[in-house]
Amino acid sequence: MKHLLLLIASLYLVNLPVLAADTSPRRPNIVFFLADDLGQRDLGCYGSTFYETPHLDRLAQQGARFTDAYAACPVCSPTRASIMTGQWPQRTGITDYIGAPTKPEGWKRNTKSLPAPYTDRLALDAPTLAKALKTAGYATFFAGKWHLGPEGWWPENQGFDVNMGGIDRGGPYGGNRYFSPYGNPRLSDGPPGEHLPDRLATETANFIQANKDRPFFAYLSFYSVHTPLMAREDLRQKYEEKRGRLGLEAKWGLEDTRDVRLVQEHAVYAGMVEAMDLAVGKVLAKLDELGLSENTVAIFTSDNGGLSTSEGWPTSNLPLRGGKGWIYEGGIREPLLVRWPAVVQAGTVLNAPVSSPDFFPTLLEVAGSRPELAQVLDGCSLVPLFRGGTLPERALFWHYPHYGNQGGAPSAAVRRGDWKLIEWSEDQRIELFNLAADPGEQTDLAPTESARAAALRDELHRWQQQVGAQFATANPNCDAAKPNGRFAARQPAAPRTKTGEKRKP
């Protein structure tokens, strides 16, 4: 009888349907950190010896560090639109920071040209990373600075399930600014004195905790290190002491008519950089705690270069020239760190020139998704670089038909290989630099490399026509007798050894 029961049981089991285990790998999670106004040289892993960024330095050690990564524009909103859409800013229409006069007739400054018109919001029908990833099944989260339009055009209208702090403002200008109360309609106040970067990191970590069992896209877009310049008091004191211990003093040069900081020694700014680094560390620690780091793509970058010629002059971008608002390397070259342990070899250094539009196709490939058929993507996926391959040979472009608050003027540029050409709109003057030999852009080779300069200029003009670029136009109301006009030929930066005893307040 016992043998009969065993036989019946075995026959029953043989005829059961086979239920195969689900061995398909879970799609990678994505955590995207975007800093505001952070220069490439502001991180320890890019050479800073004054600012301390241990968590970001560790991220670089565990993944890839890009040496030639760029923002699509020397100011914030256009770059942010480019990251969101995978398009050059000229296609989105957002070519200046939102808040500047949108039409030439609103221009009041005495300049030779009138800036081009621009769009002050990201179109609601624009393709965005959040929309694409949400369609692919990702939970989507935004925290921090948005600055891509008024209410009705905020993150929750552009594909994000959650919006913590993303509004129209370009900085934390409500309430007590970087400390609670925040006065932000999309971020409830915390305890008095709560620090904004830490709060945004906490919200991001909470989102990751709540969505640990499904693919997620967390976009932490810091207000840091944008003005107002405010730091935790303990961090300010730390860097005041460090500055004294190292014997650092302010040194100044000139960029055209603007003072430019030559030494990183601003204690308040250093405290802001460290607080941002601590916030990144909090989010990365949550990934580690949940065992998610191996299958999470973590990306860190910035929206334009460090602020070195205006508004407190908080940092130096040396050896790069200029800073925020300028089309020189200090205004557009960015930190870019990528950690994806399952794919990217730790300690990788990548020299390929890349730019903001590349993030959209990269993250779609990471997610195993595809863009809409009618969607224009100007970037290319960086995944081949992550896997040890190369990218197709191509040029990168910039077009900024505006006057930045930091001293920059209407200009455009193209980089192909090691060569970069700049064209200044006011007088159509060109500059040509070999960035491999001269990353500080001190030696203009246009006079001796005229054929190369002409070819790059033609390529830049073709691209401008292709993307529908708008241009600055002559200002009929300019007064050459007034000192604020820009009528002389632009001058190169003063020697880098120049020092000064004072700076403008």
Side-chain angles (χ1 to χ4, degrees), residues 419 421 430-433 443-454:
W419 293 90
L421 177 129
I430 61 171
E431 295 177 295
L432 179 68
F433 303 104
T443 304
D444 178 12
L445 299 176
T448 57
E449 293 275 356
S450 57
R452 187 187 302 275

Side-chain angles (χ1 to χ4, degrees), residues 57-65 338 344-350:
D57 297 345
R58 181 168 64 92
L59 191 69
Q61 294 166 0
Q62 294 174 340
R65 177 175 63 87
V338 178
V344 178
Q345 184 175 350
T348 299
V349 177
L350 296 171

Side-chain angles (χ1 to χ4, degrees), residues 56 64 89 124 144-145 148 234 237 309 351 392 400 445 467:
L56 288 165
L124 293 178
K145 174 174 171 175
L148 287 175
D234 62 319
Q237 291 181 9
T309 60
N351 305 118
Y400 185 57
L445 299 176
V467 297

